[in-house]
Amino acid sequence: MHRFLLPLLSTLLITACGSAAPEPDRCRTKLIPPPQESLHIVDRPIDFGKERVELTKAYIKTHYGKEVKDIAITPKIIVLHYTAIDSADASFNTMKPQKLRGRKDISKASALNVSVQFMVDKDGTVYRLMPENWMGRHVIGLNYYAIGVENVAKDAKHLTPAQVKANIALVKYLKSKYPTITYLIGHHEYLRMEQTPLWLERDKNYRTYKVDPGERFMRQVRAGVKGLDLKEPPQE
């Protein structure tokens, strides 16, 4: 695994595509100011081969009505989650396969497995699971613009102060790298985004009820990134 250290007072060298092994003809190194907090990112890639890419393209066509040549996105939203699984390894193994296993609540919509760009363990370790600007499947209606962050916890009560701190640092890093990001939401707030132009879901019957990561966690993270002026979802 590769470790990326983003010191507090140093200049951060990152790639434009955010992948662990970028293609040289598509990505160029650039200088970006670091966030205020130091952030360690550990690359721990899930399986994202040709099958998953093609399933993602099909998902985009079916649910968002877009014909795409690749699965690159322009991030506009950060969505925070918790895994509902009390283990980083078990959470990783759920997202690792390219095709969905189980999940009757969403399997009819697509065989594409769920995925997020980042997972945060209880001790605050931040794992990058896939290229940052590739589309993952983690939030109905918004995946085409969203970077997802899963926090390892079986419920809101098991989210830790270390995860709050890591999420704050990660949000700052992402906003610095992707100025197009304008929203920070919790998964439990996603239905309120139907009132915005960012909502793309075409199937009116494809909805699930979510409670993660909860109001308390979102309050804490939002307080830590207040200076970024990230929007909340519209009020119902």
Side-chain angles (χ1 to χ4, degrees), residues 122-181:
K122 294 179 180 182
D123 65 357
T125 301
V126 178
Y127 294 101
R128 181 161 47 209
L129 306 184
M130 57 181 285
E132 295 169 3
N133 68 337
W134 284 14
M135 194 191 93
R137 182 187 185 184
H138 57 97
V139 56
I140 292 171
L142 303 170
N143 290 307
Y144 195 69
Y145 297 116
I147 290 180
V149 182
E150 285 280 6
N151 290 274
V152 178
K154 66 180 180 181
D155 55 37
K157 293 180 180 179
H158 288 80
L159 292 165
T160 69
Q163 286 173 316
V164 173
K165 184 177 179 180
N167 276 253
I168 290 170
L170 181 56
V171 169
K172 290 182 177 181
Y173 158 73
L174 290 171
K175 176 60 177 176
S176 175
K177 187 172 180 180
Y178 303 104
T180 52
I181 294 174

Side-chain angles (χ1 to χ4, degrees), residues 89-140:
D89 287 342
S91 298
F92 175 83
N93 289 335
T94 297
M95 292 182 278
K96 186 176 187 294
Q98 301 193 73
K99 297 183 72 173
L100 193 65
R101 297 175 180 176
R103 294 297 304 270
K104 293 181 180 180
D105 57 331
I106 62 172
S107 59
K108 289 183 179 180
S110 173
L112 174 66
N113 197 13
V114 294
S115 62
V116 288
Q117 288 81 357
F118 295 94
M119 181 177 72
V120 182
D121 205 350
K122 294 179 180 182
D123 65 357
T125 301
V126 178
Y127 294 101
R128 181 161 47 209
L129 306 184
M130 57 181 285
E132 295 169 3
N133 68 337
W134 284 14
M135 194 191 93
R137 182 187 185 184
H138 57 97
V139 56
I140 292 171

Side-chain angles (χ1 to χ4, degrees), residues 214-224:
E215 292 295 334
R216 182 171 180 269
F217 190 80
M218 291 305 302
R219 247 189 341 263
Q220 292 173 321
V221 175
R222 283 182 171 132

